[in-house]
Amino acid sequence: ALVHSGHAQYTKFPEGFTFGVATAAHQIEGSWNVSGKTENVWDHLSHNRPWMIADGTNGDVACDSYNRYQEDVDELAYMGVDFYRLSLSWARILPTGRMDVINPDGIRYYNALFDALAEKKIEPLVTLFHWDLPQSLQDLGGWANPKMIDYFRDYADVCFREFGDKVKSWITLNEPYEICEDAYGDDKKAPAIDSHGVGNYLCSDTLLKAHAEVYHLYNDTYRPIQNGRIMISINSIWYEPSDPENAEQVALAEVANQFKFGWFANPIFTEEGGYPVVMVENIAEQSKAEGLNKPRLEQFDEYWIERIKGTSDFLGINHYTTHLITGPGVDSLAKHPSWLKDIGAVVSLDVGRDSASEWLRVVPTGFANLLRWCKSTYNDVPIYITENGFSDRGAIEDYDRIRYYNDYLSEILNVIYDDDVKVLGYTAWTLMDNFEWRAGFSERFGLYHVDITDPNLPRTPKLSAEYYKQLCETKEIPQDERFKDPAVS
Ligand code: PNW
């Protein structure tokens, strides 16, 4: 497995390691108001506050995958992926958000998609919730409303019942941090509630309980007959000390990682369960200083600690980037009160190469450090990388993206072979350029280019699609000259 090309580098993935690519319903489907689908929070935001989307685009048509799914499947088959990670549109399946109306066209669409995948022997990995909450449920408070636990469970029940014969791998939630912090504690994602330091923690209380109920529903009722698996995908911005010799920064980076990744991983993947101790303590202290009579983050009671613990068959990790911690204090971007202020550290993005996304810095070694940390913090849990990818402005000869994949994939091999971290599979974000949330189509993560100025939305494989095809075929990181940027020696 060792190739000596200047420096030692592993290139070959272990037997059984699988590769896939990911998308999400709202980012690709379009057909936002046809065949029974109702408005979701992203439709609502992009229609009512279009200035909040960088290029004024929206998900009305997106990549038109509602009509062009066969093209998507053909591209997946061309690359030879083992699996396709996609998400279901809640408002397409349940137009009221509740289970009283089941939309036959929605059910038909996903069945057709699963059949097309089966035809090409591509396994579906299905996310129940990738941010597109029915607006009707947001009108009732969305994830800040504890009743959402029942609504999410009911929606999952319908999905398991309708699709469980074809779908054997499920993800409950995509990136709980982004849902709670960006959408309820800030205005970075829809519904942009911006209840900083309050709504974000109400959300996590509901979201973790809702996740656990869906896990137990699957585990108790569906797993015995459907024999599948179910997990959660947690995003990490990995934090490292700006100066690794500085003990205070090292300690603060650990605090930041507990606030970011641990917020949702600790309750599910540790022996003790519940939120990380440092989160509970910091927030209790700050809340008291603010004059509150109880902490803004409520710890789970014994019942819920037990109910949430162990509710994921694997740890799904979405990873893109690493940021630095430069010292203690209140970050210049921190609102009062807020999650960022609760951490009590100053963050810097002055690290690595850049991308088209302000937040995405290229720091491959941070990925290895994150994976080693997950192994030791979460008891050697088996891991799937459920997203990893790079943004540019849409180049077809996308050498920067290939270099990103090359370097991040190499770090996975390093931790598999040198540190015995159990990484079982890898998912590239994303199949094709798509509606990148508030960035619209201005930041592009696709292996395929999509020309949104042409009504036929033609898809063109980028060089990275050829790279990924070779990776899927050989299970080896491609070393071909044609994938090396001629401008970089
Ligand atoms: C993910 N970060 O979001 C989402 O799951 C995708 O829908 C999205 O298109 C993709 O990554 C690219 O943004 C993230 O700050 C948002 O580290 C923020 C971060 C990571 C992922």
Side-chain angles (χ1 to χ4, degrees):
L2 264 179
V3 168
H4 295 279
S5 57
H7 63 290
Q9 197 199 1
Y10 301 110
T11 58
K12 183 90 184 143
F13 282 84
E15 196 64 38
F17 193 95
T18 57
F19 291 96
V21 302
T23 61
H26 187 77
Q27 295 179 274
I28 65 165
E29 284 181 5
S31 297
W32 77 279
N33 62 349
V34 303
S35 301
K37 180 181 166 294
T38 59
E39 187 186 46
N40 65 41
V41 293
W42 278 95
D43 296 318
H44 194 81
L45 181 89
S46 52
H47 294 160
N48 295 290
R49 291 186 274 174
W51 58 87
M52 288 184 74
I53 311 294
D55 58 1
T57 58
N58 53 46
D60 292 7
V61 177
C63 303
D64 194 27
S65 288
Y66 187 68
N67 297 303
R68 298 173 196 273
Y69 66 90
Q70 187 61 54
E71 281 180 53
D72 299 351
V73 173
D74 291 344
E75 287 151 16
L76 294 161
Y78 174 75
M79 289 189 287
V81 299
D82 299 303
F83 64 90
Y84 177 39
R85 178 177 172 223
L86 63 115
S87 81
L88 303 177
S89 161
W90 188 333
R92 193 182 295 293
I93 293 171
L94 302 180
T96 65
R98 293 172 288 111
M99 70 195 313
D100 51 347
V101 182
I102 299 176
N103 177 22
D105 282 346
I107 303 294
R108 208 174 296 134
Y109 171 64
Y110 291 111
N111 271 319
L113 175 55
F114 296 139
D115 290 344
L117 289 169
E119 185 79 22
K120 305 282 188 187
K121 301 201 164 40
I122 298 167
E123 218 218 302
L125 167 57
V126 177
T127 309
L128 289 167
F129 182 68
H130 198 127
W131 306 357
D132 46 357
L133 192 71
Q135 183 60 35
S136 57
L137 298 182
Q138 185 52 47
D139 291 341
L140 302 176
W143 293 107
N145 176 359
K147 276 287 164 228
M148 277 296 299
I149 300 164
D150 294 346
Y151 295 140
F152 187 52
R153 188 184 177 283
D154 293 347
Y155 162 59
D157 200 350
V158 171
C159 297
F160 294 150
R161 193 174 69 217
E162 295 289 338
F163 306 125
D165 55 334
K166 294 169 180 163
V167 177
K168 301 300 169 191
S169 302
W170 297 94
I171 292 171
T172 55
L173 302 168
N174 180 68
E175 300 188 353
Y177 169 91
E178 273 64 22
I179 299 167
C180 291
E181 180 57 24
D182 288 359
Y184 291 84
D186 208 331
D187 63 2
K188 292 181 187 163
K189 302 270 154 49
I193 300 299
D194 202 15
S195 167
H196 40 87
V198 180
N200 51 338
Y201 298 134
L202 296 180
C203 169
S204 68
D205 188 71
T206 308
L207 209 51
L208 279 157
K209 290 172 179 171
H211 155 81
E213 288 308 316
V214 168
Y215 175 89
H216 287 295
L217 171 68
Y218 190 78
N219 201 46
D220 301 345
T221 309
Y222 288 95
R223 200 201 300 266
I225 43 177
Q226 297 182 346
N227 295 310
R229 31 189 185 266
I230 183 161
M231 64 174 161
I232 188 169
S233 287
I234 302 178
N235 177 54
S236 145
I237 285 180
W238 175 245
Y239 294 103
E240 299 206 339
S242 155
D243 171 9
E245 307 290 308
N246 180 318
E248 189 177 42
Q249 286 181 16
V250 172
L252 281 167
E254 171 66 17
V255 173
N257 286 320
Q258 290 295 350
F259 264 79
K260 174 92 199 189
F261 202 84
W263 185 2
F264 295 93
N266 207 81
I268 299 173
F269 296 98
T270 62
E271 292 282 314
E272 72 276 12
Y275 292 119
V277 173
V278 66
M279 256 191 113
V280 173
E281 287 178 354
N282 275 19
I283 298 167
E285 199 180 301
Q286 301 259 349
S287 302
K288 202 168 166 201
E290 289 153 18
L292 295 166
N293 61 357
K294 59 177 173 189
R296 287 178 276 100
L297 177 73
E298 205 174 315
Q299 178 60 292
F300 297 110
D301 62 18
E302 268 312 310
Y303 172 82
W304 280 108
I305 286 180
E306 290 306 317
R307 187 86 178 148
I308 294 168
K309 247 165 51 176
T311 54
S312 191
D313 298 336
F314 306 94
L315 172 58
I317 299 179
N318 292 0
H319 178 73
Y320 292 83
T321 196
T322 292
H323 294 171
L324 300 179
I325 297 296
T326 57
V330 180
D331 190 273
S332 61
L333 297 177
K335 296 170 185 169
H336 174 80
S338 64
W339 171 86
L340 186 52
K341 192 173 182 194
D342 288 333
I343 299 178
V346 177
V347 178
S348 161
L349 273 65
D350 188 13
V351 56
R353 282 179 287 122
D354 62 3
S355 69
S357 309
E358 201 220 351
W359 54 270
L360 204 174
R361 312 293 308 191
V362 183
V363 191
T365 52
F367 193 18
N369 291 333
L370 163 70
L371 290 168
R372 283 189 284 259
W373 182 83
C374 284
K375 178 187 169 81
S376 60
T377 310
Y378 306 115
N379 195 29
D380 208 13
V381 63
I383 294 167
Y384 275 94
I385 306 305
T386 43
E387 281 181 28
N388 177 236
F390 176 84
S391 64
D392 61 11
R393 300 287 174 202
I396 300 287
E397 301 217 314
D398 52 344
Y399 293 109
D400 289 341
R401 174 168 296 101
I402 291 173
R403 186 168 166 207
Y404 179 97
Y405 280 129
N406 179 74
D407 294 352
Y408 275 67
L409 286 164
S410 294
E411 293 299 342
I412 295 178
L413 290 180
N414 287 340
V415 303
I416 289 177
Y417 294 122
D418 294 344
D419 306 285
D420 202 22
V421 182
K422 294 192 182 72
V423 187
L424 307 178
Y426 177 87
T427 320
W429 181 269
T430 175
L431 173 60
M432 60 194 151
D433 295 340
N434 58 41
F435 179 67
E436 176 53 22
W437 311 112
R438 287 199 55 191
F441 279 79
S442 70
E443 297 171 15
R444 290 166 175 250
F445 284 82
L447 297 169
Y448 278 71
H449 179 269
V450 178
D451 180 359
I452 59 163
T453 64
D454 182 329
N456 286 320
L457 299 161
R459 292 114 153 92
T460 308
K462 301 178 187 177
L463 192 57
S464 58
E466 305 297 340
Y467 173 91
Y468 208 70
K469 174 181 168 64
Q470 188 167 323
L471 174 73
C472 291
E473 278 167 4
T474 62
K475 308 274 184 199
E476 206 163 334
I477 300 178
Q479 302 295 305
D480 297 19
E481 280 306 313
R482 67 174 169 141
F483 296 128
K484 300 221 166 75
D485 188 346
V488 178
S489 53

